[in-house]
Amino acid sequence: MMNTRTHFFVILRLMTILCLLSVSLTACGFKLRGAFELPAELQKIYVAGPQHTDLVRDLKELLGYSAEVVSQRSDADAILTIKKEESENRTLSVDSRGKVRESEMQYSVIYSLVMANGQVLLDDQALLLVRDFINDENDIIGRTNESAVIARDLKRDAAQQILRHIQAVKVDAVVH
């Protein structure tokens, strides 16, 4: 059985190692997944648009890692507006019996970002994401699931691309 003094030094050594690991992770540029460095002028954002869509939920979640998502326009530094969302499926190829073999899923979004003072940072930006997938006629359940997974992934990817675009905005250049 360890005496109290030895136990204290073991705990102290573990705490020191933990602190050193934490410092080394932040020094190498490690960030939590989903965190974006937004300009200082964009720390309170209101997301306008259909509030119960996957895209708006993803945007709010991702923004929450880097800024404050406010529930009132009047509290915001900027307003991110989702103006239009559309999904479309297209057949790319069919087999000799006329069954769909390959499909394409398209997801498009139009959005804008305006400062609370009315200055437009991003005006009606269009984003189009496209994914192809193979339809396996022997796996109807898998095909249906794959389609739903691809649709969900497209919305997550769109949210990340929108935030990367916001991250790249030079607010000072627009404000002055």
Side-chain angles (χ1 to χ4, degrees), residues 143-158:
R143 181 174 60 202
T144 304
N145 290 341
E146 181 180 16
S147 178
V149 168
I150 290 171
R152 186 71 187 102
D153 285 346
L154 285 171
K155 292 172 185 178
R156 280 191 197 111
D157 290 351

Side-chain angles (χ1 to χ4, degrees), residues 12-159:
L12 184 64
R13 188 177 335 164
L14 286 173
M15 297 279 287
T16 304
I17 290 171
L18 218 87
C19 288
L20 288 173
L21 282 173
S22 297
V23 168
S24 66
L25 279 177
T26 56
C28 74
F30 174 79
K31 291 183 196 171
L32 287 174
R33 183 176 170 194
F36 290 86
E37 271 187 49
L38 298 177
E41 299 82 2
L42 301 176
Q43 291 305 305
K44 291 183 179 180
I45 297 179
Y46 176 78
V47 181
Q51 294 299 306
H52 300 292
T53 66
D54 289 333
L55 177 64
V56 170
R57 278 194 294 269
D58 289 343
L59 282 167
K60 286 180 176 182
E61 179 184 340
L62 291 172
L63 277 168
Y65 293 120
S66 309
E68 181 182 346
V69 179
V70 295
S71 58
Q72 301 291 323
R73 280 181 187 260
S74 58
D75 297 335
D77 296 331
I79 294 98
L80 172 62
T81 304
I82 305 303
K83 295 184 175 186
K84 185 177 180 182
E85 273 186 272
E86 279 187 356
S87 293
E88 185 179 323
N89 290 325
R90 197 170 69 115
T91 300
L92 296 178
S93 65
V94 293
D95 63 13
S96 60
R97 296 171 299 184
K99 301 278 185 181
V100 176
R101 291 291 302 147
E102 188 176 9
S103 296
E104 175 181 84
M105 189 175 290
Q106 295 181 353
Y107 180 68
S108 61
V109 179
I110 297 176
Y111 63 96
S112 64
L113 182 67
V114 179
M115 294 292 290
N117 64 11
Q119 291 186 320
V120 177
L121 299 177
L122 299 171
D123 188 26
D124 288 352
Q125 299 294 305
L127 178 63
L128 175 65
L129 300 171
V130 180
R131 297 287 189 285
D132 296 346
F133 60 99
I134 306 273
N135 290 322
D136 182 0
E137 66 183 49
N138 297 324
D139 188 12
I140 294 171
I141 294 172
R143 181 174 60 202
T144 304
N145 290 341
E146 181 180 16
S147 178
V149 168
I150 290 171
R152 186 71 187 102
D153 285 346
L154 285 171
K155 292 172 185 178
R156 280 191 197 111
D157 290 351

